Amino acid sequence: MKLIVGLGNPGYEYLWTRHNAGWLIVDSFIARMNAHEPQIKFSGAYWSGLTLCGERVSFLQPHTYMNLSGISVGAAVRYNNISVNDVLIISDDVALPFGRIRMRKSGSAGGQNGLKSVIGALGTLDVPRLRIGVGSPDTGIDMKDWVLGKIPTSQRKEWHKIEDAAWEALLIWVSGDIDRAMTKANGFRLNAEG
């Protein structure tokens, strides 16, 4: 079984914030799969019993708030006895410009507190992740205010292209070829797409 996790914060006030990029991407995956309503399980919204590319998949959106995401992810991984290699964490990344995505097999949290919590809960840096670029703030803008700020309307109009690129990478990852999924994701450039 594969577990796909979108990191974010619960609550209407966080809708369309940069920090909720992971939730937004999982929302798009769920819509593409015409999935049922989620269970409230593992301190989050949890979709299970789904099939993608011949594999059983589950999706999780932790409701623990970003900085405690590892509580939810750790509980789901332990309950389902999932290998860490079969978990994909999707989060925002301020080090990537808007319109870029990056998949990696492992690595540090890179300052992303939700990913840091997940790495701590799972006890390894070897957690596959898909980072969604949200860009970095101009000088003088606080980082917390930036990530909790809304994605501008002009960028929302292009968001479906990022969802499409993430979906293509997900399909390859689920099929078991993370190296090809990384090539697909890491080669995506929004500006090159039109």
Side-chain angles (χ1 to χ4, degrees), residues 66-158:
M66 181 65 79
N67 293 356
L68 298 176
S69 297
I71 294 170
S72 178
V73 176
V77 167
R78 286 188 300 276
Y79 179 85
N80 291 295
N81 195 27
I82 303 170
S83 165
V84 173
N85 293 328
D86 290 326
V87 178
L88 181 67
I89 306 298
I90 306 171
S91 68
D92 62 298
D93 188 343
V94 297
L96 283 176
F98 178 81
R100 294 288 309 279
I101 63 176
R102 179 173 295 147
M103 184 178 282
R104 299 184 72 189
K105 295 178 187 179
S106 64
S108 73
Q112 216 285 354
N113 287 332
L115 189 53
K116 181 179 180 181
S117 176
V118 170
I119 288 169
L122 299 182
T124 180
L125 295 174
D126 298 329
V127 183
R129 73 282 312 265
L130 177 63
R131 294 179 180 237
I132 310 300
V134 295
S136 57
D138 293 330
T139 304
I141 298 175
D142 182 73
M143 186 60 75
K144 180 180 176 186
D145 292 338
W146 177 259
V147 296
L148 295 179
K150 301 285 186 181
I151 296 170
T153 303
S154 60
Q155 293 181 351
R156 287 190 215 179
K157 290 178 181 176
E158 302 288 339

Side-chain angles (χ1 to χ4, degrees), residues 149-171:
K150 301 285 186 181
I151 296 170
T153 303
S154 60
Q155 293 181 351
R156 287 190 215 179
K157 290 178 181 176
E158 302 288 339
W159 191 258
H160 66 282
K161 296 176 183 177
I162 294 167
E163 291 174 346
D164 290 345
W167 177 252
E168 290 176 19
L170 176 74
L171 293 176

